[in-house]
Amino acid sequence: MSVVSHLINGELVESKRTLDVTNPSTGKVIRQVADADTADVELAISAAQAAFPAWRDTPPAKRAQVMYRFKQLLEEHADRLVQLVSEEHGKTPEDAMGELKRGIENVEYACGVPELLKGEYSHNVGPGIDAWSNFQPLGVVAGITPFNFPAMVPLWMYPMAIACGNTFILKPSEKDPSASMAVAELLQEAGLPKGVMNVIHGGREAVETLLDAKAVKAISFVGSTPVAEAIYSRGSAAGKRVQALGGAKNHAVVLPDADLENAANTLMGAAYGSCGERCMAISVAVCVGDETANRLVETMLPKIAQLKVGPGTDKGLDMGPLVTAEHRNKVLGFIEEGVNAGATLVADGRSLKVAGHEEGYFVGGCLFDNVTAEMRIYQEEIFGPVLCIVRVGSLDDAMQLINDHEYGNGTCLFTRDGEAARRFTDAIEVGMVGVNVPLPVPVAYHSFGGWKRSLFGDLHAYGPDSVRFYTRRKAVSQRWPSVSEATTAEFSFPANQS
Ligand code: NAD
């Protein structure tokens, strides 16, 4: 059986230990992946450290040239990358292609790094003194990524980190490592010097070695909230710069004046696309008024019944399986609990069977009505094809509900009322907001990040914030006195005012 190896110092490196990688559409182990121990991670850190001085001194325009070639290679190899994503994650090829394209946007943004690294300059800040600030790389930085976007989320991180002059160590999800690895190998092929980009596979031991290593200056993490919080605390305590993006419970508010057909159609994709395994998936529809809720349920039920579910590698489907048996069981447990708590399960996808794929981890689309804020299915991230409807009396009630929730990643308002939309976008305590746009994922030249317990740290992912995250500012003041200029010792603090 083939093994996905580490990529260290430009070479494929085997590991003493391995983990199984499963195709979730069949439930079969299809390959293995290296499972790094501390020694493997230390090897990667040494390679990244050794590569840093020369890469730091490489002109940004030359670093950008590698990114241009990388973008071209990603486009040339798109079909193979999509196939790897679908095979190990289970999302449909069309969905995987969407993720890859959004990832490539980040490489395009990194191609502009010479412009993005331009500093600030002030002439004559004091007599004969000029001052400027510029942005310098940090050194070795690391990224730890989740299973649900194996191509895109790593591309949120390392194109910009590397374009800024850092060297990088990626620890992708052990559940679907092949696409993350294949993408990184293309960057190597694009002409990157050895050791600038490294990939180590594995789990907790690998991550903790990165967190504790003195040589690693910054950590970008994307994953679930409990792990994000632990990584933020441990990494910060070790003196690192850390951004840790966590889980979510994203609400869509439907006002009585909304175009219901449009809301229902777009909610279908936002709730059930990728089997609900997106951190920006809409998992709660907050309906203002019983009539709005009744109409939304009526409009969505036939659409849910028609969802095309099957193996992730097939084209023309709406949804594949969940990622692992363990995760499928967790999602089924939530559904059971929702029923026991008194929510009305108006669409029940639990008994769905996909012919020829009886061992796959499939769950059909589920819709709960009459969900309340006390229920666990409302409070926690289910990360499956389960949409909860909560009925409220007003927009204010809807906003209060959202603002009281522990997560604040994404949200959306469906309405035709501009005044309501303005109030919502202004006062809602969520990092990414849509108006009639249920998946308001910012494009690569903006930044991505939630509020509250959806993000630990200050700077958001990718876009302009990533240039700041992966660099530190240096302020320089410079004076070149002429040889004939007399200087005297000055003991008071220098100031321009007389
Ligand atoms: P996860 O937290 O289980 O794993 C994420 C990464 O952390 C993986 O590389 C994993 O190997 C590692 N890891 C897991 N447990 C660890 C531990 N105890 N110590 C150290 N490292 C550990 O997340 P997942 O299941 O892979 O991904 C799904 C989660 O990611 C969801 O909660 C989803 O909302 C979230 N997510 C968030 C965003 C965002 O931008 N906010 C984007 C994508 C996914």
Side-chain angles (χ1 to χ4, degrees), residues 337-357:
E337 204 178 318
V339 172
N340 293 339
T344 324
L345 187 60
V346 289
D348 183 355
R350 287 177 292 179
S351 57
L352 177 108
K353 290 273 171 288
V354 175
H357 288 80

Side-chain angles (χ1 to χ4, degrees), residues 144-149 153 156 171-175 202-205 207-208 211 221-228 230-231 245-248 277-280 323 381 383 409 432 448-450 454-455 461:
I144 299 141
T145 52
F147 80 84
N148 67 324
F149 285 106
V153 169
W156 286 2
K171 207 302 282 171
S173 171
E174 65 280 25
K175 291 177 190 146
R204 190 170 179 161
E205 184 178 339
V207 173
E208 289 180 349
L211 285 173
F221 172 86
V222 177
S224 58
T225 286
V227 183
I231 290 213
L245 282 70
E277 293 172 320
R278 290 181 183 144
C279 67
M280 289 292 276
V323 70
E381 182 180 48
F383 225 53
N409 216 37
M432 293 169 284
F448 178 109
S454 291
L455 187 147

Side-chain angles (χ1 to χ4, degrees), residues 209-389:
T209 310
L210 287 170
L211 285 173
D212 296 342
K214 256 197 155 150
V216 177
K217 302 300 178 196
I219 300 270
S220 296
F221 172 86
V222 177
S224 58
T225 286
V227 183
E229 189 169 27
I231 290 213
Y232 184 76
S233 306
R234 189 160 170 168
S236 305
K240 299 184 199 320
R241 189 177 282 190
V242 186
Q243 54 176 188
L245 282 70
K249 195 81 181 176
N250 305 309
H251 302 64
V253 179
V254 187
L255 290 188
D257 74 342
D259 172 345
L260 246 286
E261 184 60 28
N262 170 55
N265 276 334
T266 54
L267 273 177
M268 285 299 296
Y272 302 113
S274 209
C275 213
E277 293 172 320
R278 290 181 183 144
C279 67
M280 289 292 276
I282 293 287
S283 48
V284 183
V286 187
C287 295
V288 176
D290 283 333
E291 202 196 321
T292 312
N294 294 341
R295 282 168 54 220
L296 185 71
V297 171
E298 250 169 55
T299 318
M300 288 192 77
L301 279 180
K303 296 178 195 293
I304 295 171
Q306 283 161 21
L307 275 172
K308 287 181 266 166
V309 187
T313 39
D314 283 9
K315 285 195 171 152
L317 299 174
D318 300 320
M319 237 166 69
L322 288 164
V323 70
T324 57
E326 188 192 5
H327 187 53
R328 191 243 341 248
N329 294 341
K330 188 174 152 200
V331 170
L332 292 177
F334 268 118
I335 299 169
E336 182 73 26
E337 204 178 318
V339 172
N340 293 339
T344 324
L345 187 60
V346 289
D348 183 355
R350 287 177 292 179
S351 57
L352 177 108
K353 290 273 171 288
V354 175
H357 288 80
E358 285 72 17
E359 305 304 315
Y361 312 135
F362 296 97
V363 176
C366 296
L367 184 65
F368 271 114
D369 197 356
N370 301 307
V371 174
T372 61
E374 301 72 42
M375 296 178 183
R376 258 189 76 214
I377 55 165
Y378 171 75
Q379 290 164 353
E380 296 191 23
E381 182 180 48
I382 299 175
F383 225 53
V386 183
L387 179 64
C388 296
I389 294 189

